[in-house]
């Protein structure tokens, strides 16, 4: 990837345009670092979690979201940890959907608690659901997630459909030597049940620090496996540029499968995302090594103006690229479940 010159004409004020001209319209909000699975690419087996006191309250989250929306954020995705483990998440969704400048509130979940909560989520106004699932075989699921629960996730998917969620996306992480056998069954399942499946390359954000470049099963390799076993794929042109996924349809016309390739094909040049961690820290990248502390500001009586200044500083410091695979790359000290994927 070539690094462009910084655009010094970009507004140096409180807008969410960074020095490379990228407009930020999407805010990922983590609501907890707790989880009911222990996926090896994300969490340690024995984790210690943030204290209740450290977590932002729903009112604090909504205030940050409102300030961010006044600066240009239009869409919000709730994540974690496992967001459905945060009690009464529907109440936060109700608060966020009422913000006048927020067009869409989405959720990424492992689906374990979805069967019980799908109705409340739909009633609260949640627009979209992404469900992460790496295997359709219980033993293999347990090997990857290091806990059981496949049947409950499948029930959750069914219930989500029943509650009217339409364009449900499924996420599967691709790891060499671990997930190859799951690719074809997942792709067939999603094609049959009309779920939009997306394969995500393994990123160096695992808590156990085991990631290596060789472990990354690239989107290209996954696509070849699908084409060999299921059928030819054709790239869909004119994808939404803010979407990191490169989407394909089967040439016979049924089903969409996408590839999110942050390692082999970084999409930093069109990144439109900012993040708020469960403990109230703004971050400008998954791989950021710096936090911008909104929680302290909120709890010390900071004004909306000051929060805007903090967010502007966070955007202003954004690097052009995550630099994975180069000498410049520095692993963040937080793992994925502590940031929010
Ligand atoms: N617990 C929820 C879930 O699993 O969907 C939400 C949080 S999880 C951190 C969000 C997404 O990040 C999931 O789709 C998960 O597969 C993905 N993920 C976690 N660790 C990853 C890693 N090291 N590389 C790539 N994707 C990862
Ligand atoms: Fe939990 Fe999601 Fe991380 Fe798996 S990927 S351990 S489900 S937070």
């Amino acid at each position: 990837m070539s690094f462009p010159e910084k655009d010094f004409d970009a507004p140096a004020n409180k807008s969410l345009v960074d020095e490379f001209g990228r407009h930020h319209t999407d805010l990922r909000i983590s609501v907890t670092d707790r989880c009911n699975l222990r996926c090896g690419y994300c969490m340690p087996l024995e984790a210690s979690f943030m204290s209740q006191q450290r977590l932002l309250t729903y009112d604090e989250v909504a205030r940050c979201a409102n300030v961010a929306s006044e600066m240009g954020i239009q869409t919000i995705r709730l994540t974690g940890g496992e967001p459905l483990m945060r009690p009464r998440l529907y109440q936060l969704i109700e608060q966020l959907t009422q913000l006048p400048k927020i067009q869409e509130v989405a959720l990424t979940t492992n689906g374990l608690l979805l069967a019980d909560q799908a109705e409340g989520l739909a009633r609260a106004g949640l627009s979209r659901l992404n469900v992460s699932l790496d295997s359709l075989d219980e033993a293999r699921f347990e090997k990857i997630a290091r806990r059981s629960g496949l049947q409950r996730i499948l029930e959750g998917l069914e219930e989500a459909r029943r509650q009217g969620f339409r364009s449900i996306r499924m996420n599967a992480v691709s790891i060499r030597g671990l997930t190859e056998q799951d690719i074809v069954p997942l792709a067939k399942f999603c094609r049959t049940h009309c779920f939009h499946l997306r394969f995500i390359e393994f990123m160096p954000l695992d808590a156990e620090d085991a990631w290596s470049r060789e472990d990354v099963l690239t989107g290209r390799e996954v696509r070849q496996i699908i084409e060999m076993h299921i059928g030819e794929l054709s790239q869909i042109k004119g994808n939404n540029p803010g979407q990191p996924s490169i989407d394909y349809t089967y040439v016979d016309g049924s089903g969409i499968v996408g590839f999110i390739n942050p390692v082999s094909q970084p999409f930093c040049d069109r990144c439109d995302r900012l993040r708020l961690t469960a403990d109230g820290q703004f971050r400008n990248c998954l791989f950021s090594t710096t936090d911008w502390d909104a929680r302290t500001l909120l709890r010390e009586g900071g004004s909306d103006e000051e929060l805007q200044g903090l967010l502007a500083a966070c955007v202003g410091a954004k690097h052009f690229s995550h630099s994975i695979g180069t000498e410049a790359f520095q692993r963040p000290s937080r793992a994925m479940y502590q940031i929010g994927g």
Side-chain angles (χ1 to χ4, degrees):
M1 181 182 300
S2 60
F3 286 62
E5 290 294 307
K6 285 191 173 187
D7 175 4
F8 289 106
D9 292 332
N13 52 28
K14 291 174 185 173
S15 77
L16 299 181
V17 183
D18 72 9
E19 295 190 50
F20 303 98
R22 293 173 293 196
H23 291 246
H24 295 82
T25 56
D26 184 62
L27 181 64
R28 307 268 146 153
I29 300 177
S30 173
V31 292
T32 181
D33 59 341
R34 287 170 195 263
C35 188
N36 39 13
L37 296 180
R38 290 289 182 277
C39 309
Y41 49 72
C42 175
M43 280 188 91
L45 266 179
E46 301 294 330
S48 56
F49 298 109
M50 296 168 187
S51 66
Q52 202 59 32
Q53 181 56 25
R54 246 176 93 189
L55 298 184
L56 290 193
T57 64
Y58 288 167
D59 284 347
E60 288 170 334
V61 171
R63 182 159 169 223
C64 287
N66 187 40
V67 163
S69 75
E70 291 295 334
M71 297 173 78
I73 292 296
Q74 297 168 359
T75 54
I76 288 174
R77 177 167 295 277
L78 299 176
T79 181
E82 173 44 44
L84 296 184
M85 288 189 76
R86 183 88 188 246
R88 295 174 295 284
L89 186 70
Y90 67 90
Q91 289 178 348
L92 175 63
I93 295 169
E94 279 168 3
Q95 282 180 269
L96 296 175
T97 51
Q98 279 165 24
L99 299 177
K101 295 192 176 161
I102 293 301
Q103 296 167 7
E104 183 176 288
V105 179
L107 174 76
T108 299
T109 172
N110 63 26
L112 269 176
L113 301 174
L114 196 50
D116 293 339
Q117 297 191 31
E119 186 182 355
L121 296 173
R123 207 169 332 111
L126 187 74
S127 321
R128 280 173 171 280
L129 260 180
N130 283 13
V131 178
S132 307
L133 180 59
D134 297 316
S135 180
L136 290 164
D137 174 86
E138 182 70 59
R140 293 196 42 70
F141 177 88
E142 277 188 44
K143 183 172 180 199
I144 299 167
R146 303 191 291 187
R147 295 251 174 116
S148 59
L150 174 62
Q151 281 316 312
R152 274 154 68 202
I153 296 172
L154 296 177
E155 286 159 22
L157 282 168
E158 229 176 281
E159 184 58 25
R161 274 272 167 79
R162 203 172 303 129
Q163 293 301 331
F165 287 105
R166 288 283 156 253
S167 51
I168 299 174
R169 292 196 189 122
M170 306 271 290
N171 291 345
V173 178
S174 304
I175 303 178
R176 191 181 308 286
L178 183 66
T179 65
E180 286 92 339
Q181 327 168 35
D182 299 297
I183 293 168
V184 172
L186 276 173
K188 285 185 174 166
F189 173 84
C190 289
R191 190 157 122 105
T192 307
H193 295 278
C194 298
F195 293 122
H196 177 169
L197 173 62
R198 297 167 340 152
F199 291 95
I200 309 174
E201 288 177 352
F202 179 28
M203 293 181 272
L205 289 168
D206 55 315
E208 289 163 350
D209 200 3
W211 183 93
S212 85
R213 182 68 178 80
E214 292 70 49
D215 296 332
V216 181
L217 184 65
T218 64
R220 188 158 178 270
E221 292 170 294
V222 176
R223 180 157 56 84
Q224 283 167 350
I225 293 172
I226 293 176
E227 291 201 307
M228 195 184 303
H229 291 91
I230 305 181
E232 198 183 328
L233 294 167
S234 154
Q235 190 177 339
I236 301 172
K237 303 285 180 216
N239 252 9
N240 171 358
Q243 269 298 330
S245 173
I246 305 171
D247 290 335
Y248 288 75
T249 53
Y250 292 91
V251 290
D252 68 10
S254 67
I256 299 177
V257 57
F259 302 92
I260 302 179
N261 304 336
V263 181
S264 67
Q265 285 181 282
F267 35 84
C268 305
D269 55 337
R270 53 199 161 84
C271 179
D272 63 357
R273 292 179 184 178
L274 296 173
R275 292 169 193 277
L276 179 63
T277 63
D279 57 344
Q281 309 297 305
F282 282 120
R283 290 168 79 87
N284 56 28
C285 176
L286 260 180
F287 297 95
S288 171
T289 51
T290 312
D291 287 341
W292 280 264
D293 185 1
R295 188 186 69 229
T296 302
L297 199 52
L298 286 163
R299 294 184 182 174
E300 289 182 352
S303 65
D304 285 0
E305 273 277 289
E306 285 171 305
L307 272 173
Q308 285 192 358
L310 186 75
L311 200 44
C314 171
V315 171
K318 183 158 171 158
H319 292 183
F320 179 65
S321 155
H322 56 50
S323 309
I324 296 174
T326 72
E327 280 192 6
F329 180 68
Q330 239 187 306
R331 241 190 101 112
S333 57
R334 289 177 185 247
M336 186 66 117
Y337 74 105
Q338 298 164 315
I339 304 170

